[in-house]
Amino acid sequence: MEREIHWQEYGQTVIHPLALAFTLAMGAWLLWARRDRAVLPVMLLACLIPVAQRVVVATLDFNMSRILILFGWSRILYRGEAWNIRWCRLDTVFIAYLASGTLGYVIREGNLGALVYRLGVIFEACGIYFMLR
């Protein structure tokens, strides 16, 4: 029997030990992989671990891809790879897209929870985008 995820489970830590072990293994791979192979653990995790697997810290949901983003940015900052990123027009368009989407969503919903949710989306989108650049 397959387990259904209900909306009441949001805000609670839901993680299978195998999902946690796989995430930590992909994080280690991401930290020590060559730069041209660093995208592989990100793609594997995105394809194999459901979004419902999450750790909640102070009411903030960190699904496994967000945890892997933290591994990726640790790698970038530790190895000094952040200095190789040059700002381009597409970066500006991407940030404007996220900002306008966030503004529209927060105005439509009209509460603080909507802003927190969109900040999580921005963290994930910017984290993956700039990590893979």
Side-chain angles (χ1 to χ4, degrees):
M1 175 167 37
E2 199 170 310
R3 184 172 178 263
E4 291 184 30
I5 301 297
H6 297 287
W7 65 270
Q8 293 94 348
E9 293 180 355
Y10 284 98
Q12 297 177 8
T13 296
V14 178
I15 187 163
H16 192 277
L18 289 176
L20 180 60
F22 186 75
T23 302
L24 293 176
M26 294 299 104
W29 184 8
L30 181 61
L31 287 174
W32 289 291
R34 290 189 340 230
R35 189 172 183 181
D36 63 335
R37 301 209 180 193
V39 71
L40 293 174
V42 176
M43 299 306 283
L44 282 172
L45 186 106
C47 292
L48 297 176
I49 302 295
V51 178
Q53 298 291 310
R54 75 176 72 71
V55 175
V56 177
V57 178
T59 71
L60 300 175
D61 289 0
F62 288 91
N63 60 32
M64 298 301 106
S65 63
R66 290 179 183 176
I67 291 172
L68 198 63
I69 289 169
L70 294 175
F71 275 102
W73 276 98
S74 298
R75 169 206 167 100
I76 289 169
L77 295 175
Y78 177 73
R79 292 186 176 191
E81 296 172 344
W83 307 117
N84 296 335
I85 298 175
R86 303 239 189 266
W87 196 263
C88 67
R89 248 185 233 153
L90 184 59
D91 300 337
T92 305
V93 170
F94 183 70
I95 296 297
Y97 164 74
L98 288 174
S100 65
T102 298
L103 183 64
Y105 186 78
V106 170
I107 288 172
R108 185 185 78 194
E109 295 298 318
N111 61 33
L112 186 61
L115 178 62
V116 171
Y117 167 74
R118 287 301 295 190
L119 288 175
V121 169
I122 288 172
F123 172 78
E124 199 164 358
C126 286
I128 292 283
Y129 176 78
F130 288 108
M131 184 173 66
L132 295 181
R133 271 197 68 216

Short mmCIF file of all heavy atoms in Angstrom, two decimals, residues 73-115:
data_model
loop_
_atom_site.label_atom_id
_atom_site.label_comp_id
_atom_site.label_asym_id
_atom_site.label_seq_id
_atom_site.Cartn_x
_atom_site.Cartn_y
_atom_site.Cartn_z
N TRP A 73 26.77 25.01 -2.13
CA TRP A 73 27.31 26.34 -1.85
C TRP A 73 28.48 26.28 -0.89
O TRP A 73 29.39 27.11 -0.94
CB TRP A 73 26.20 27.28 -1.38
CG TRP A 73 25.53 27.85 -2.57
CD1 TRP A 73 24.38 27.42 -3.15
CD2 TRP A 73 26.04 28.88 -3.41
NE1 TRP A 73 24.13 28.14 -4.28
CE2 TRP A 73 25.13 29.05 -4.46
CE3 TRP A 73 27.17 29.68 -3.38
CZ2 TRP A 73 25.32 29.99 -5.47
CZ3 TRP A 73 27.35 30.61 -4.38
CH2 TRP A 73 26.43 30.76 -5.40
N SER A 74 28.48 25.27 -0.01
CA SER A 74 29.66 25.07 0.84
C SER A 74 30.87 24.77 -0.03
O SER A 74 31.97 25.28 0.21
CB SER A 74 29.42 23.92 1.82
OG SER A 74 28.36 24.21 2.67
N ARG A 75 30.67 23.92 -1.03
CA ARG A 75 31.75 23.57 -1.95
C ARG A 75 32.25 24.81 -2.69
O ARG A 75 33.45 25.06 -2.80
CB ARG A 75 31.25 22.53 -2.95
CG ARG A 75 32.19 22.30 -4.10
CD ARG A 75 31.43 21.80 -5.33
NE ARG A 75 32.26 21.86 -6.50
CZ ARG A 75 32.90 20.82 -7.01
NH1 ARG A 75 32.79 19.63 -6.45
NH2 ARG A 75 33.64 20.97 -8.08
N ILE A 76 31.31 25.59 -3.23
CA ILE A 76 31.66 26.77 -4.02
C ILE A 76 32.45 27.77 -3.18
O ILE A 76 33.46 28.31 -3.62
CB ILE A 76 30.39 27.41 -4.61
CG1 ILE A 76 29.82 26.52 -5.71
CG2 ILE A 76 30.67 28.81 -5.13
CD1 ILE A 76 28.45 26.91 -6.18
N LEU A 77 32.00 28.00 -1.96
CA LEU A 77 32.68 28.97 -1.10
C LEU A 77 34.03 28.43 -0.61
O LEU A 77 35.01 29.17 -0.56
CB LEU A 77 31.79 29.35 0.08
CG LEU A 77 30.51 30.09 -0.30
CD1 LEU A 77 29.62 30.30 0.91
CD2 LEU A 77 30.82 31.40 -0.99
N TYR A 78 34.10 27.14 -0.28
CA TYR A 78 35.35 26.56 0.20
C TYR A 78 36.42 26.55 -0.88
O TYR A 78 37.58 26.85 -0.63
CB TYR A 78 35.10 25.14 0.71
CG TYR A 78 36.35 24.43 1.16
CD1 TYR A 78 36.98 24.79 2.35
CD2 TYR A 78 36.91 23.43 0.39
CE1 TYR A 78 38.13 24.16 2.76
CE2 TYR A 78 38.07 22.79 0.79
CZ TYR A 78 38.68 23.15 1.99
OH TYR A 78 39.82 22.52 2.38
N ARG A 79 36.03 26.22 -2.12
CA ARG A 79 36.99 26.13 -3.21
C ARG A 79 37.24 27.47 -3.91
O ARG A 79 38.05 27.55 -4.82
CB ARG A 79 36.52 25.12 -4.25
CG ARG A 79 36.54 23.70 -3.74
CD ARG A 79 36.20 22.76 -4.86
NE ARG A 79 36.30 21.39 -4.41
CZ ARG A 79 36.27 20.36 -5.22
NH1 ARG A 79 36.15 20.54 -6.53
NH2 ARG A 79 36.35 19.14 -4.76
N GLY A 80 36.51 28.50 -3.51
CA GLY A 80 36.70 29.81 -4.13
C GLY A 80 36.16 29.89 -5.55
O GLY A 80 36.59 30.72 -6.34
N GLU A 81 35.19 29.02 -5.88
CA GLU A 81 34.63 29.00 -7.23
C GLU A 81 33.63 30.12 -7.47
O GLU A 81 33.22 30.35 -8.61
CB GLU A 81 33.97 27.65 -7.49
CG GLU A 81 34.95 26.50 -7.48
CD GLU A 81 34.28 25.13 -7.55
OE1 GLU A 81 33.06 25.05 -7.31
OE2 GLU A 81 34.98 24.16 -7.83
N ALA A 82 33.21 30.81 -6.42
CA ALA A 82 32.23 31.89 -6.58
C ALA A 82 32.79 33.06 -7.37
O ALA A 82 32.05 33.80 -8.01
CB ALA A 82 31.75 32.37 -5.21
N TRP A 83 34.12 33.22 -7.35
CA TRP A 83 34.72 34.35 -8.04
C TRP A 83 34.73 34.16 -9.55
O TRP A 83 34.97 35.10 -10.28
CB TRP A 83 36.15 34.57 -7.54
CG TRP A 83 36.19 34.68 -6.05
CD1 TRP A 83 36.83 33.84 -5.18
CD2 TRP A 83 35.54 35.66 -5.23
NE1 TRP A 83 36.62 34.24 -3.89
CE2 TRP A 83 35.82 35.36 -3.89
CE3 TRP A 83 34.73 36.76 -5.50
CZ2 TRP A 83 35.34 36.11 -2.83
CZ3 TRP A 83 34.25 37.51 -4.44
CH2 TRP A 83 34.56 37.18 -3.14
N ASN A 84 34.43 32.96 -10.04
CA ASN A 84 34.39 32.71 -11.48
C ASN A 84 33.05 33.09 -12.11
O ASN A 84 32.93 33.09 -13.33
CB ASN A 84 34.67 31.23 -11.76
CG ASN A 84 36.06 30.83 -11.33
OD1 ASN A 84 36.95 31.66 -11.26
ND2 ASN A 84 36.24 29.56 -11.03
N ILE A 85 32.06 33.40 -11.28
CA ILE A 85 30.73 33.74 -11.80
C ILE A 85 30.73 35.19 -12.25
O ILE A 85 31.04 36.10 -11.49
CB ILE A 85 29.65 33.51 -10.72
CG1 ILE A 85 29.59 32.04 -10.33
CG2 ILE A 85 28.30 33.99 -11.23
CD1 ILE A 85 28.64 31.74 -9.20
N ARG A 86 30.38 35.41 -13.48
CA ARG A 86 30.25 36.76 -14.03
C ARG A 86 28.76 37.04 -14.26
O ARG A 86 28.06 36.24 -14.86
CB ARG A 86 30.98 36.87 -15.36
CG ARG A 86 32.44 36.51 -15.27
CD ARG A 86 33.30 37.68 -15.71
NE ARG A 86 34.69 37.29 -15.83
CZ ARG A 86 35.56 37.45 -14.86
NH1 ARG A 86 35.19 37.95 -13.72
NH2 ARG A 86 36.83 37.09 -15.04
N TRP A 87 28.30 38.20 -13.78
CA TRP A 87 26.90 38.57 -13.91
C TRP A 87 26.57 38.84 -15.37
O TRP A 87 27.33 39.51 -16.07
CB TRP A 87 26.62 39.80 -13.07
CG TRP A 87 25.17 40.04 -12.83
CD1 TRP A 87 24.36 40.87 -13.54
CD2 TRP A 87 24.36 39.42 -11.84
NE1 TRP A 87 23.09 40.81 -13.05
CE2 TRP A 87 23.06 39.93 -12.00
CE3 TRP A 87 24.60 38.49 -10.84
CZ2 TRP A 87 22.00 39.53 -11.19
CZ3 TRP A 87 23.55 38.11 -10.04
CH2 TRP A 87 22.27 38.63 -10.21
N CYS A 88 25.44 38.31 -15.85
CA CYS A 88 25.02 38.55 -17.23
C CYS A 88 23.55 38.98 -17.25
O CYS A 88 22.87 39.00 -16.22
CB CYS A 88 25.26 37.31 -18.09
SG CYS A 88 24.24 35.91 -17.67
N ARG A 89 23.06 39.30 -18.44
CA ARG A 89 21.68 39.76 -18.58
C ARG A 89 20.66 38.71 -18.16
O ARG A 89 19.63 39.03 -17.58
CB ARG A 89 21.42 40.13 -20.05
CG ARG A 89 21.22 41.58 -20.22
CD ARG A 89 20.84 41.90 -21.64
NE ARG A 89 21.79 42.91 -22.05
CZ ARG A 89 22.19 43.14 -23.26
NH1 ARG A 89 21.72 42.41 -24.24
NH2 ARG A 89 23.03 44.08 -23.53
N LEU A 90 20.96 37.45 -18.45
CA LEU A 90 20.04 36.37 -18.07
C LEU A 90 19.89 36.29 -16.55
O LEU A 90 18.80 35.99 -16.05
CB LEU A 90 20.53 35.03 -18.64
CG LEU A 90 19.62 33.84 -18.41
CD1 LEU A 90 18.25 34.07 -19.03
CD2 LEU A 90 20.24 32.58 -18.97
N ASP A 91 20.96 36.57 -15.82
CA ASP A 91 20.87 36.59 -14.37
C ASP A 91 19.90 37.67 -13.90
O ASP A 91 19.08 37.44 -13.00
CB ASP A 91 22.25 36.86 -13.75
CG ASP A 91 23.27 35.79 -14.12
OD1 ASP A 91 22.86 34.67 -14.47
OD2 ASP A 91 24.48 36.10 -14.07
N THR A 92 19.98 38.83 -14.51
CA THR A 92 19.08 39.93 -14.16
C THR A 92 17.64 39.57 -14.47
O THR A 92 16.74 39.82 -13.66
CB THR A 92 19.48 41.22 -14.92
OG1 THR A 92 20.85 41.50 -14.65
CG2 THR A 92 18.62 42.39 -14.53
N VAL A 93 17.41 38.97 -15.62
CA VAL A 93 16.05 38.56 -15.99
C VAL A 93 15.53 37.51 -15.01
O VAL A 93 14.37 37.56 -14.59
CB VAL A 93 16.03 38.03 -17.45
CG1 VAL A 93 14.71 37.37 -17.78
CG2 VAL A 93 16.34 39.15 -18.42
N PHE A 94 16.37 36.57 -14.64
CA PHE A 94 15.98 35.51 -13.71
C PHE A 94 15.60 36.10 -12.35
O PHE A 94 14.56 35.74 -11.78
CB PHE A 94 17.11 34.50 -13.57
CG PHE A 94 16.78 33.33 -12.69
CD1 PHE A 94 15.86 32.38 -13.10
CD2 PHE A 94 17.39 33.19 -11.46
CE1 PHE A 94 15.56 31.29 -12.29
CE2 PHE A 94 17.10 32.11 -10.65
CZ PHE A 94 16.18 31.17 -11.07
N ILE A 95 16.40 37.01 -11.84
CA ILE A 95 16.11 37.64 -10.54
C ILE A 95 14.84 38.49 -10.64
O ILE A 95 14.00 38.47 -9.72
CB ILE A 95 17.31 38.50 -10.07
CG1 ILE A 95 18.53 37.62 -9.82
CG2 ILE A 95 16.95 39.31 -8.83
CD1 ILE A 95 18.37 36.59 -8.73
N ALA A 96 14.65 39.19 -11.73
CA ALA A 96 13.43 40.00 -11.91
C ALA A 96 12.20 39.10 -11.98
O ALA A 96 11.14 39.43 -11.42
CB ALA A 96 13.55 40.84 -13.18
N TYR A 97 12.33 37.95 -12.65
CA TYR A 97 11.24 36.98 -12.73
C TYR A 97 10.85 36.48 -11.33
O TYR A 97 9.67 36.44 -10.98
CB TYR A 97 11.65 35.81 -13.63
CG TYR A 97 10.79 34.59 -13.51
CD1 TYR A 97 9.51 34.57 -14.05
CD2 TYR A 97 11.26 33.45 -12.85
CE1 TYR A 97 8.72 33.44 -13.92
CE2 TYR A 97 10.48 32.33 -12.74
CZ TYR A 97 9.21 32.33 -13.27
OH TYR A 97 8.42 31.22 -13.14
N LEU A 98 11.85 36.13 -10.53
CA LEU A 98 11.57 35.65 -9.18
C LEU A 98 10.97 36.74 -8.30
O LEU A 98 10.03 36.50 -7.54
CB LEU A 98 12.85 35.11 -8.53
CG LEU A 98 13.38 33.80 -9.07
CD1 LEU A 98 14.72 33.47 -8.44
CD2 LEU A 98 12.40 32.67 -8.84
N ALA A 99 11.49 37.96 -8.43
CA ALA A 99 10.99 39.07 -7.62
C ALA A 99 9.54 39.42 -7.99
O ALA A 99 8.71 39.62 -7.10
CB ALA A 99 11.88 40.30 -7.79
N SER A 100 9.24 39.46 -9.28
CA SER A 100 7.86 39.79 -9.69
C SER A 100 6.89 38.68 -9.30
O SER A 100 5.77 38.96 -8.88
CB SER A 100 7.81 40.07 -11.19
OG SER A 100 8.11 38.90 -11.93
N GLY A 101 7.32 37.43 -9.43
CA GLY A 101 6.47 36.32 -9.01
C GLY A 101 6.21 36.34 -7.52
O GLY A 101 5.09 36.08 -7.07
N THR A 102 7.23 36.67 -6.75
CA THR A 102 7.07 36.75 -5.30
C THR A 102 6.16 37.90 -4.91
O THR A 102 5.26 37.73 -4.08
CB THR A 102 8.44 36.92 -4.63
OG1 THR A 102 9.23 35.77 -4.94
CG2 THR A 102 8.32 37.09 -3.13
N LEU A 103 6.37 39.05 -5.52
CA LEU A 103 5.53 40.21 -5.22
C LEU A 103 4.06 39.91 -5.53
O LEU A 103 3.18 40.17 -4.71
CB LEU A 103 6.01 41.44 -6.00
CG LEU A 103 5.26 42.73 -5.73
CD1 LEU A 103 5.45 43.16 -4.29
CD2 LEU A 103 5.73 43.81 -6.69
N GLY A 104 3.80 39.35 -6.70
CA GLY A 104 2.43 39.02 -7.08
C GLY A 104 1.80 38.00 -6.15
O GLY A 104 0.63 38.13 -5.75
N TYR A 105 2.54 36.98 -5.78
CA TYR A 105 2.01 35.94 -4.90
C TYR A 105 1.72 36.48 -3.51
O TYR A 105 0.66 36.19 -2.93
CB TYR A 105 3.01 34.78 -4.82
CG TYR A 105 2.49 33.59 -4.06
CD1 TYR A 105 1.60 32.70 -4.63
CD2 TYR A 105 2.91 33.35 -2.76
CE1 TYR A 105 1.12 31.61 -3.94
CE2 TYR A 105 2.44 32.26 -2.05
CZ TYR A 105 1.56 31.39 -2.64
OH TYR A 105 1.09 30.31 -1.94
N VAL A 106 2.64 37.28 -2.97
CA VAL A 106 2.44 37.82 -1.62
C VAL A 106 1.27 38.79 -1.60
O VAL A 106 0.47 38.80 -0.66
CB VAL A 106 3.73 38.47 -1.09
CG1 VAL A 106 3.49 39.24 0.19
CG2 VAL A 106 4.80 37.40 -0.88
N ILE A 107 1.13 39.61 -2.63
CA ILE A 107 -0.01 40.54 -2.69
C ILE A 107 -1.31 39.76 -2.79
O ILE A 107 -2.29 40.08 -2.12
CB ILE A 107 0.17 41.53 -3.86
CG1 ILE A 107 1.28 42.52 -3.54
CG2 ILE A 107 -1.14 42.25 -4.16
CD1 ILE A 107 1.66 43.42 -4.69
N ARG A 108 -1.33 38.72 -3.63
CA ARG A 108 -2.55 37.93 -3.80
C ARG A 108 -2.94 37.22 -2.51
O ARG A 108 -4.11 37.24 -2.12
CB ARG A 108 -2.37 36.91 -4.90
CG ARG A 108 -3.66 36.15 -5.20
CD ARG A 108 -3.47 35.06 -6.20
NE ARG A 108 -2.83 33.95 -5.48
CZ ARG A 108 -2.26 32.93 -6.07
NH1 ARG A 108 -2.20 32.87 -7.37
NH2 ARG A 108 -1.74 31.96 -5.37
N GLU A 109 -1.96 36.60 -1.83
CA GLU A 109 -2.28 35.85 -0.61
C GLU A 109 -2.45 36.76 0.59
O GLU A 109 -3.26 36.47 1.46
CB GLU A 109 -1.19 34.81 -0.34
CG GLU A 109 -1.09 33.73 -1.38
CD GLU A 109 -2.35 32.89 -1.49
OE1 GLU A 109 -2.93 32.54 -0.43
OE2 GLU A 109 -2.76 32.59 -2.61
N GLY A 110 -1.64 37.82 0.67
CA GLY A 110 -1.80 38.81 1.72
C GLY A 110 -1.44 38.35 3.12
O GLY A 110 -2.03 38.84 4.09
N ASN A 111 -0.49 37.41 3.25
CA ASN A 111 -0.08 37.01 4.61
C ASN A 111 1.42 36.71 4.64
O ASN A 111 2.07 36.57 3.61
CB ASN A 111 -0.90 35.83 5.12
CG ASN A 111 -0.76 34.60 4.26
OD1 ASN A 111 0.28 34.33 3.67
ND2 ASN A 111 -1.83 33.82 4.19
N LEU A 112 1.94 36.61 5.86
CA LEU A 112 3.37 36.38 6.05
C LEU A 112 3.79 34.97 5.60
O LEU A 112 4.89 34.78 5.12
CB LEU A 112 3.74 36.61 7.52
CG LEU A 112 5.21 36.53 7.86
CD1 LEU A 112 5.98 37.59 7.09
CD2 LEU A 112 5.42 36.68 9.34
N GLY A 113 2.89 34.01 5.73
CA GLY A 113 3.19 32.64 5.30
C GLY A 113 3.50 32.57 3.81
O GLY A 113 4.36 31.78 3.38
N ALA A 114 2.84 33.40 3.02
CA ALA A 114 3.10 33.43 1.58
C ALA A 114 4.50 33.95 1.30
O ALA A 114 5.20 33.43 0.42
CB ALA A 114 2.07 34.31 0.88
N LEU A 115 4.93 34.94 2.06
CA LEU A 115 6.29 35.47 1.88
C LEU A 115 7.33 34.43 2.26
O LEU A 115 8.32 34.24 1.55
CB LEU A 115 6.48 36.75 2.70
CG LEU A 115 7.88 37.36 2.63
CD1 LEU A 115 8.22 37.79 1.21
CD2 LEU A 115 7.99 38.53 3.60
#
